[in-house]
Structure formats: C-alpha cells, structure tokens
Amino acid sequence: MDISPLAGKPAPESILANIPRLVTDYYALEPEPGIPAQQVAFGTSGHRGTSLECSFNEEHILAITQAICIHRRQQKIDGPLFIGIDTHALSEPAFVSALEVLAANEVEVMIDDRDGFTPTPVVSHSILNYNRGRKNGLADGIVVTPSHNPPEDGGFKYDPPSGGPAESATTKWIQDKANEFIAAGLNDVRRISYARAKSAATTHRYDYMKTYIGDLGSVIDFEAIRGANVKLGVDPLGGAGVFYWGMIADRYRLPLTLVSQVVDPTFRFMTVDWDGKIRMDCSSPYAMRRLIAEKDNFDLAWACDPDHDRHGIVAKSTGLLNPNHYLAVAISYLFSHRPQWPGNAAIGKTVVSSSMIDRVAAGIGRALKEVPVGFKWFVDGLLNGSLGFGGEESAGASFLRREGSVWTTDKDGLIMGLLAAEMTAATGKDPGELYRDLTSKYGEFFYERIDAPATPEQKKVLAALSAQDINESQLAGEKIVNILTTVAGTTDPIGGVKVVSESGWFAARPSGTENVYKLYAESSRNAEHLKKIQSEAQAIIQKAFDRSAD
C-alpha cells in the first residue's frame, strides 16, 4: 500500500470537492444504460457512486425508488416508509428525487421533522419500533448515504421491515428493475413535483431525534456513566449525528464534549486518508488524526462516520483502537454485564475479523457465528435474539437491549461510542486497558487491513478466485491448512478468498464501492510474521491478476 504524502495532514484546497458542479451533474448528466459503470449496482449495502462519473445521478435515484415502490406492493409492505439522509452533498438532492417518486406512488413517508439529518441506526430503530408487535401494515425504510466514502460520493440503501440491510435477492431485484427503468427512459416511473410531494397527505413529519434518544436508556447504562468521574469527547466528523450528541448529553446528564459541530459537504476539516483522498473513516489513523491529537484531553473519546453506523474509539491509554480490539473488548464486557440476555445468545463476527474474538467467545462459553462481510448477515440473529452481538472488522456493530430484545438490526456507531463510556465507568479501565487484559489472558494477535488499488477487471478476478487458483503450499514459512471461498461449514460466499496457516491467515476481497481490494491479515506470532503474510499474500494476488491479463 503506497501511503500518500498528504496522509494525516489537513486537506488542501486543491483536493476539495466542487459542490456546485457535483449537484449540477446530479441533475444534468444522464447515465448510459449500456455502460456497466453507469448502471445501478447494489454492493454489500446499497448503491453508491458519484454524479461526476454518471454513477449516482437523478435517473438512478428515480429508478431505484420506483423499483422499491413496486417491491413494496409485491411484498404487501403497506406501512410507513422511514427515510433519512446524511451530510454528503448528494444526499439532499437524492432525498428530493426519492420523495417525488414515493409521493407519486402514494407511499406513507416519514421525514425528519427538523428537515435535518438522520443516522442509519436511527432509521433502523424507527422501523423496528413501529413494527414491534405488528403482523400487518409493516414499515420499511431508505437511508441516503455512502457511509464513510469521499465527499463526491452518494449512496442509497433500502431497509426492509427487518430494519437492517436488505438481503441479496431483494437488492438484486431492485437493482435489475431500476436498470430496466433507466434503459426504457424512465417511462414507467411515477413522479410529482417536490413542492407537491413535501405537502402531500402521505408525507408526515417524524421526530427521529426524540424517539431514538429517549430510548437509549434501554440499551446503555447511563447511571454507571453519570456515577463515574470520566471526561468524554465525541467528534461527529460532520455527520448525521452532529445534533444528536448535544441532546444525548443533556437528556442523560453526561460529561460529554463535542469536539466539533461543523457541517461542511466538502469535509475540509478532515485530515487526508492513506491514499490522498478525504474519507470519513473513523477507523483510519490518518482520517482520525484530529481526534487522536485530543487524546490526552479526555479519559475517552470517539468518532462516528457521516451516517453514524461506524465507530472509532480513542482511549487515553492507547490512542485509536484497532476496530477488532474494540469488538473483542465490547463482546467480553457485554456478555458479563447483561444478565438478562438469553443464555444461548451467540456472538456474530465476519470471516475477516480477528481470531481474538474466537478466543474470547470460547473463554466466556458463548457460541460463535461466522458470516461473510456485510451486516445483512446479522439481521435475523439480532432480530430474534439468537445473536447478542454482531460486529464487523470495519468498525460496525450492534447489540441487544439490556433486557435482551432487539435494538437495531443495522450498525450503530452511537451506542458503540456510548458503550465505551459505560465500560470505562463501570470497570475503571478504558477500552485500551481492557484489551491489554484480554491479551494477557488469551495471547496477542497482530492484525492489519490494507487497501490496494485494483481495476474493475482485477476486482472481478479476485471475486471469482477458487482454491485451485492458489498453487502455494506454504504461507510465511508455515503449511497452508485451508483455502476458503465460502465461510467454513457453509455455502455462504466470502466474495474473495481466505488462506489459513497454523498461526496466521489472510483474506482478500474486492471493494464493492471503490477501485481497491481489501487485504486482511493476522498473525498470532509477531509483527514480523504478519508482514511476511502480507507480502506473500500480495504476491499471490498479483499472480492471479497477471494470469488473467495473459
């Protein structure tokens, strides 16, 4: 991975997004149906792209929304649709386009009563709260966000009545139907003006903030936080939760300081990520440089990405925690501090998450459910309570209410930040110190994820790799014991490959939203062994790329 000389530095004017051009191109440019890069394509969680490259434009959103309306009718989903947006520049235009179609299709829509921003987990919480105890007239939702992607990007995802990311069959149907609409010139897309849509009898204002914040006590022990002398900080990174944190602090009387309340669609206040791009990745030490610099001013601080489904924890003892470290700490803490949780509630982790989680699960006597990348794999388990916790290595997780029922079925960065405060208050140790305790008990693991450039063609090669494509018998001096393209014991595809040796492993899979591939690697020996695994893994992947180019 080549680190940009801009990495970790304040964003220079020269790389800032041209917001007027971005919005103009959203309305002015029209996608070519025959160009794959300009088609609707749902990745692990929705459609993403940029208007500058004709991959996220008005036609895309009109078509996707009409497809969602048809899907709702086919599935007899006739309750309200909860919709929220984040602070990316393209989110507001996409919201306008979606509402025009939803109103024309006479869908009951719940929009924010403050005309503000709504985090992804708040939409999930709203859907589940409405559907609790209902069998008919179920609600669903839309979240307009590209998550932590650069400022030029837009994103659009659908949440069915389960409240979390839609499963693959649903997103494929919506994707294919939307592309049919675009190819046909949007002839069958129903639409009314925004003015009419906003004042339509089917458009309702909903207090997302009050509903979500008022319910937080059912999932977080605020009494523990209030009773401890801890100084807390939070950086919303200019995201959808920017106005939530002050209300949370007031409602629950927390010693919580907002590091910044700035909202700017260029995200010029960010420090630049590893590759020279502005990216609001709260797990990146480059993007998180501002909050890391505040480490000694707080006992604990955290940040969330623009739609607040991800978290980044900055502990006074260690600085920014590796997401895997915090997941392991959260699991260890929750399953010993939630006595009302079901005794058989399992732990959910992705196939590319740290093996430390396996050891923690075994140590506390809980079953471990391993799944492919994508939070949709945790939805059913969180919904029925068979999972107490579900987490991804990319710093996204959610868990059950204190009494053991579902909270959200999408990633919730707000409760993961607040949980860090609870555990610090309850144990007298911050998450960094708690992770050191885990290493003393279970051993140390050396883990890193690298993002490397990959063309669309190379990404296809990687996604299609099989065990037969890898001829090596050793990895970093150890015998390869397994090569996986599906999660062990299942037929669930990894979307890439995982190679396992006795004391290490690597996995490689293409990004669903950017022209990079993700290389995950871990060693239970030492940092030098990890570097060898990474080096040999990159060579193995490059061989696959070279063979495909011949």
Side-chain angles (χ1 to χ4, degrees):
M1 179 172 69
D2 295 328
I3 304 299
S4 167
L6 293 177
K9 297 178 181 177
E13 291 281 336
S14 60
I15 71 168
L16 298 182
N18 183 330
I19 303 302
R21 176 173 295 174
L22 194 66
V23 175
T24 297
D25 284 355
Y26 173 83
Y27 291 106
L29 300 185
E30 298 179 357
E32 289 289 342
I35 300 176
Q38 296 183 16
Q39 295 173 352
V40 173
F42 275 72
T44 55
S45 186
H47 172 73
R48 294 182 189 175
T50 175
S51 61
L52 303 175
E53 298 174 1
C54 223
S55 53
F56 191 93
N57 301 78
E58 184 180 40
E59 288 194 15
H60 295 109
I61 305 309
L62 297 173
I64 294 170
T65 308
Q66 183 63 53
I68 289 171
C69 291
I70 296 172
H71 169 79
R72 296 181 96 244
R73 289 196 290 270
Q74 291 179 345
Q75 300 300 315
K76 296 181 171 54
I77 302 169
D78 53 5
L81 183 144
F82 292 87
I83 187 168
I85 69 171
D86 78 353
T87 54
H88 277 78
L90 289 175
S91 294
E92 184 79 27
F95 165 78
V96 169
S97 301
L99 190 61
E100 291 175 348
V101 175
L102 292 167
N105 283 270
E106 299 181 336
V107 174
E108 302 284 337
V109 183
M110 312 299 274
I111 66 173
D112 182 67
D113 66 340
R114 296 169 174 84
D115 292 324
F117 313 110
T118 308
T120 286
V122 175
V123 173
S124 177
H125 176 270
S126 299
I127 294 168
L128 295 176
N129 258 16
Y130 184 88
N131 289 341
R132 191 180 297 269
R134 295 176 185 267
K135 293 184 178 179
N136 300 305
L138 298 178
D140 57 359
I142 289 172
V143 189
V144 188
T145 174
S147 191
H148 60 289
N149 276 29
E152 294 86 355
D153 285 8
F156 200 86
K157 60 184 183 179
Y158 172 66
D159 288 351
S162 59
E167 45 85 30
S168 298
T170 298
T171 55
K172 186 178 188 308
W173 189 92
I174 292 171
Q175 166 191 294
D176 293 348
K177 193 66 178 177
N179 284 322
E180 287 180 21
F181 285 136
I182 292 173
L186 303 182
N187 288 337
D188 294 322
V189 172
R190 300 176 63 185
R191 179 186 187 187
I192 61 175
S193 72
Y194 179 58
R196 287 178 59 200
K198 199 169 184 181
S199 61
T202 52
T203 300
H204 311 281
R205 292 187 170 273
Y206 180 76
D207 194 341
Y208 284 97
M209 291 182 71
K210 182 179 178 181
T211 305
Y212 176 88
I213 292 171
D215 201 18
L216 277 170
S218 70
V219 71
I220 297 293
D221 184 355
F222 287 107
E223 289 184 12
I225 302 174
R226 283 195 300 270
N229 184 25
V230 291
K231 189 176 182 182
L232 307 172
V234 60
D235 189 345
L237 298 182
V242 64
F243 301 121
Y244 279 67
W245 292 110
M247 185 179 286
I248 290 170
D250 291 344
R251 170 70 173 77
Y252 295 101
R253 305 191 307 280
L254 302 182
L256 180 63
T257 299
L258 269 72
V259 172
S260 172
Q261 297 187 63
V262 174
V263 175
D264 181 336
T266 67
F267 293 89
R268 67 179 67 229
F269 49 80
M270 292 294 300
T271 48
V272 178
D273 205 5
W274 66 273
D275 57 354
K277 294 182 179 180
I278 297 175
R279 187 180 290 106
M280 290 63 69
D281 184 351
C282 47
S283 65
S284 165
Y286 303 106
M288 284 280 282
R289 189 65 55 88
R290 178 173 70 176
L291 189 59
I292 294 170
E294 297 273 354
K295 174 177 72 73
D296 294 333
N297 296 328
F298 302 102
D299 296 305
L300 177 77
W302 63 87
C304 293
D305 66 338
D307 70 320
H308 272 49
D309 68 342
R310 299 173 192 261
H311 59 271
I313 308 299
V314 178
K316 195 170 203 174
S317 63
T318 56
L320 180 66
L321 268 73
N322 181 298
N324 282 279
H325 295 181
Y326 183 54
L327 293 183
V329 167
I331 290 164
S332 178
Y333 175 83
L334 283 167
F335 281 89
S336 60
H337 287 78
R338 295 295 189 269
Q340 292 180 277
W341 279 12
N344 61 350
I347 296 161
K349 63 163 277 195
T350 58
V351 69
V352 296
S353 298
S354 173
S355 300
M356 172 62 93
I357 295 171
D358 302 56
R359 293 198 182 177
V360 170
I364 61 179
R366 292 284 179 156
L368 184 70
K369 180 178 176 59
E370 196 169 66
V371 302
V373 174
F375 209 78
K376 62 188 177 184
W377 296 97
F378 298 129
V379 170
D380 290 343
L382 289 169
L383 195 59
N384 63 29
S386 63
L387 287 181
F389 178 96
E392 297 184 311
E393 64 78 32
S394 56
S398 189
F399 50 90
L400 299 179
R401 295 171 185 262
R402 295 161 70 186
E403 40 78 9
S405 67
V406 64
W407 168 252
T408 61
T409 48
D410 212 331
K411 301 182 289 287
D412 192 332
L414 291 98
I415 64 168
M416 290 301 289
L418 292 167
L419 178 67
E422 179 192 324
M423 69 174 67
T424 301
T427 67
K429 296 180 179 181
D430 70 32
E433 294 169 313
L434 292 171
Y435 184 74
R436 282 204 294 262
D437 290 346
L438 291 181
T439 63
S440 297
K441 187 174 183 179
Y442 300 113
E444 193 163 0
F445 289 83
F446 301 83
Y447 179 106
E448 187 178 22
R449 189 191 89 188
I450 294 173
D451 291 353
T455 65
E457 293 73 23
Q458 289 173 331
K459 288 167 62 177
K460 290 179 182 177
V461 169
L462 183 54
L465 272 185
S466 69
Q468 290 69 38
D469 294 321
I470 296 177
N471 300 317
E472 284 75 9
S473 60
Q474 290 197 328
L475 179 65
E478 295 182 338
K479 182 181 178 180
I480 292 174
V481 297
N482 214 344
I483 300 175
L484 301 167
T485 55
T486 60
V487 175
T490 76
T491 58
D492 299 332
I494 294 172
V497 66
K498 183 176 183 178
V499 178
V500 185
S501 67
E502 182 179 347
S503 55
W505 59 268
F506 80 84
R509 51 182 297 276
S511 167
T513 59
E514 298 185 85
N515 285 329
V516 299
Y517 78 86
K518 300 177 186 295
L519 177 67
Y520 315 81
E522 183 171 57
S523 167
S524 59
R525 290 171 54 183
N526 52 50
E528 182 181 357
H529 186 235
L530 172 63
K531 294 300 180 187
K532 288 181 180 178
I533 292 174
Q534 291 172 322
S535 176
E536 293 185 17
Q538 288 175 310
I540 289 170
I541 300 305
Q542 190 59 49
K543 280 183 183 179
F545 290 164
D546 291 343
R547 284 196 302 270
S548 70
D550 291 342

